Amino acid sequence: KKPGTMMILLAVLCLCPVHAVVIPSEAHLLWHEDNVGAMITFGMQSMVDRSARKCPATWSPNQYNPYQLDTDQWLEAARLFGAKYAVMVIDHFSGFSQYPTKAHNYSVEHSQWRNGHGNVLQDFVLSARKYNIRPAIFYSVHENWYYGVCNFNLTNPDRQQQFQAMALQQLGEIKAAVGLDLAELWFDAGIGQGLAFVDQMNTFVASLPQNATCHSCANLPSARAVSWMGNEQAQMPYPNWGSTMPSCYSGGNTYGTPHGTRYCPAHCDAVLREHYWFWEAGTENKIKSTKALVNNYITSVGRGCNLILNIAPNSTGLVPVLDMVAYKALGKAVEALYAHPVLSYQGVGQARVFYLNSSSPITIAKQGALELREDLSTGQVVSSYSVDFLNGTQWQTLKLSNGDNLTIGNRRIQPLTRSLTTQSVRVTVLASLAAPNLRSVVLYDWSNISDDILPQFQ
């Protein structure tokens, strides 16, 4: 059914407390607009058995031979489920470099793959540009098995300065290879190994392109930081504030604080095969159902958190066919979530009460959802709101799921827990740090979405 004629009546009520609201950087705003990203988990670990992946294990460069590697296929997989940026794991713990680095001799240049002339980093960047997906890089300094670095500690402490110089050299090579397109630099588990190295890393991160965020960079003041939220199930703690204390992640059942002094929003990561980040033979039965993946989307993106879903090419360098099928099904399911708006208004602006009215009754026969979005260019401010619908001549509270009606942030998706016939829905901001600035409020009808795809919400 087409949305009826809409009228939005705005009113102002309740007082706003005086509070200094943290404003996101332009890089943060662009990152929020992405909503969904991919993490391409591929490297030397893809070539060896899972049980052998432990510090300080090393393997011959010739163990690496992904003879069918196709980065276009990787980025096609990301496109299928709607990823707007892709984080390439250029090195995950092993220390093996998937591009011909000048910093050491443990790289593709010394492997049998493409006779030593291959360059995964270059191929990835070219494919990302082709698919209009922003390239990002995952690089680990807390583990490097080739250098004997285990959880920031070196098995040979005399090599510490050598390792740190190598890492900075490689980061410079990577920055030059990706260029101004760099969306994010992801340091797994953060930056350690002493204050001098942290200072050097802070100087390097300050030199990144202006649109680049930095993951796990809480101890780098120059970073436009983003952080982990505490689990790998895409279950964003709630309420969720993008503003945090300088240390970013606060832990527990919530994220951030309304009284934060730094803007450091969260990634929500999840895997396709539960729970395998890198490809492992014989795990096809671990591929999540479309319903489970949609639930991951709603509990991450629907709570204001960017969803990061892994893509794990196999040892030949290709994403398995069954994985591609799963990514495509997720993408189609997410499209279905947004396919049938029945009440909507864009650019609502600053107000306290929002009436979404239709000239004739609209009916959601089975299930639907309300989506709210704040305009984060003026900061995240909403801390409590209510939702009511007009039932005949009486206003009645509309019960929603996916957490209480507290923070909104970039995107808040709350499934309805009942069918609904109404001509008006009312959203009231009950408490906020400053005058709320909502960019959109939309009511969607999910009644035509198959039960095989849509989780049941209570």
Side-chain angles (χ1 to χ4, degrees):
K1 179 176 179 177
K2 294 182 179 180
T5 303
M6 183 86 54
M7 178 183 72
I8 305 296
L9 175 63
L10 308 180
V12 178
L13 56 129
C14 79
L15 297 176
C16 303
V18 177
H19 181 78
V21 177
V22 179
I23 305 299
S25 68
E26 289 297 324
H28 285 121
L29 294 175
L30 184 59
W31 178 88
H32 277 304
E33 284 303 301
D34 289 337
N35 282 294
V36 177
M39 177 174 283
I40 302 171
T41 46
F42 181 78
M44 183 62 84
Q45 284 96 321
S46 306
M47 311 294 156
V48 300
D49 186 80
R50 193 183 196 190
S51 63
R53 303 169 192 164
K54 58 186 67 174
C55 195
T58 56
W59 301 272
S60 165
N62 281 326
Q63 185 82 29
Y64 185 93
N65 187 28
Y67 57 90
Q68 291 183 299
L69 187 145
D70 182 355
T71 54
D72 275 2
Q73 191 226 19
W74 300 358
L75 274 295
E76 170 62 15
R79 184 197 67 80
L80 285 173
F81 63 86
K84 301 302 182 185
Y85 61 111
V87 184
M88 172 66 202
V89 176
I90 204 64
D91 173 39
H92 185 276
F93 300 179
S94 72
F96 181 83
S97 295
Q98 297 186 85
Y99 72 97
T101 180
K102 301 301 181 185
H104 58 65
N105 296 325
Y106 192 49
S107 74
V108 290
E109 190 173 15
H110 303 274
S111 74
Q112 61 181 314
W113 177 60
R114 295 182 182 173
N115 296 316
H117 298 294
N119 188 333
V120 181
L121 176 59
Q122 181 182 68
D123 290 354
F124 164 70
V125 171
L126 292 174
S127 294
R129 290 171 182 165
K130 177 179 177 179
Y131 281 83
N132 196 29
I133 292 175
R134 299 202 300 145
I137 298 296
F138 177 113
Y139 186 91
S140 174
V141 295
H142 89 288
E143 297 265 336
N144 186 304
W145 303 341
Y146 177 63
Y147 273 80
V149 181
C150 305
N151 194 26
F152 294 113
N153 298 311
L154 277 77
T155 54
N156 181 357
D158 293 337
R159 297 189 72 189
Q160 185 169 35
Q161 287 188 337
Q162 181 186 359
F163 167 71
Q164 292 174 356
M166 180 280 299
L168 285 164
Q169 181 178 344
Q170 284 207 315
L171 288 168
E173 293 172 342
I174 291 166
K175 185 179 77 167
V178 181
L180 296 177
D181 294 336
L182 182 67
E184 184 167 288
L185 186 57
W186 185 311
F187 292 106
D188 189 55
I191 309 295
Q193 296 200 3
L195 293 178
F197 185 54
V198 171
D199 286 343
Q200 289 178 303
M201 293 295 285
N202 185 59
T203 299
F204 172 78
V205 167
S207 74
L208 294 178
Q210 287 300 303
N211 284 335
T213 52
C214 190
H215 191 287
S216 298
C217 300
N219 59 343
L220 305 182
S222 70
R224 294 171 287 275
V226 296
S227 185
W228 185 49
M229 49 52 160
N231 66 70
E232 295 182 349
Q233 303 295 334
Q235 295 279 337
M236 183 63 204
Y238 188 81
N240 170 25
W241 289 96
S243 58
T244 68
M245 302 313 289
S247 60
C248 289
Y249 174 59
S250 56
N253 297 321
T254 65
Y255 183 91
T257 170
H259 307 298
T261 58
R262 185 179 196 178
Y263 198 78
C264 185
H267 270 124
C268 287
D269 48 354
V271 295
L272 179 66
R273 301 187 182 204
E274 190 64 59
H275 194 79
Y276 295 87
W277 281 101
F278 284 84
W279 175 79
E280 191 78 21
T283 58
E284 292 79 9
N285 64 331
K286 300 297 185 179
I287 296 175
K288 291 179 181 175
S289 67
T290 304
K291 179 180 288 191
L293 291 169
V294 169
N295 190 65
N296 286 163
Y297 180 89
I298 292 171
T299 60
S300 57
V301 175
R303 294 181 184 176
C305 181
N306 277 21
L307 171 64
I308 291 285
L309 182 62
N310 84 313
I311 296 172
N314 61 26
S315 58
T316 74
L318 289 178
V319 180
V321 172
L322 290 178
D323 294 33
M324 296 292 284
V325 171
Y327 294 134
K328 184 176 182 179
L330 171 60
K332 293 294 184 183
V334 171
E335 289 178 3
L337 299 181
Y338 298 100
H340 298 290
V342 291
L343 292 177
S344 65
Y345 187 84
Q346 306 298 320
V348 173
Q350 292 186 341
R352 285 282 171 180
V353 183
F354 306 87
Y355 288 92
L356 282 68
N357 295 334
S358 173
S359 59
S360 59
I362 60 97
T363 296
I364 296 177
K366 187 171 65 173
Q367 193 157 1
L370 187 72
E371 180 202 55
L372 306 97
R373 302 191 70 185
E374 286 188 74
D375 182 349
L376 294 180
S377 66
T378 54
Q380 182 184 354
V381 301
V382 176
S383 57
S384 179
Y385 60 95
S386 64
V387 182
D388 308 291
F389 72 101
L390 194 59
N391 186 7
T393 60
Q394 300 294 317
W395 288 104
Q396 183 175 334
T397 299
L398 186 57
K399 186 179 178 183
L400 304 168
S401 61
N402 195 25
D404 295 329
N405 304 344
L406 298 171
T407 55
I408 295 175
N410 182 52
R411 178 174 260 119
R412 183 80 176 101
I413 301 173
Q414 289 190 277
L416 280 61
T417 60
R418 52 161 294 165
S419 59
L420 180 69
T421 298
T422 189
Q423 284 187 248
S424 185
V425 172
R426 180 178 67 189
V427 177
T428 305
V429 175
L430 301 175
S432 64
L433 306 180
N437 192 7
L438 299 190
R439 59 185 287 186
S440 67
V441 182
V442 184
L443 181 67
Y444 291 97
D445 187 358
W446 288 355
S447 298
N448 292 328
I449 300 178
S450 169
D451 290 339
D452 293 335
I453 293 174
L454 198 63
Q456 296 301 308
F457 300 97
Q458 297 180 355

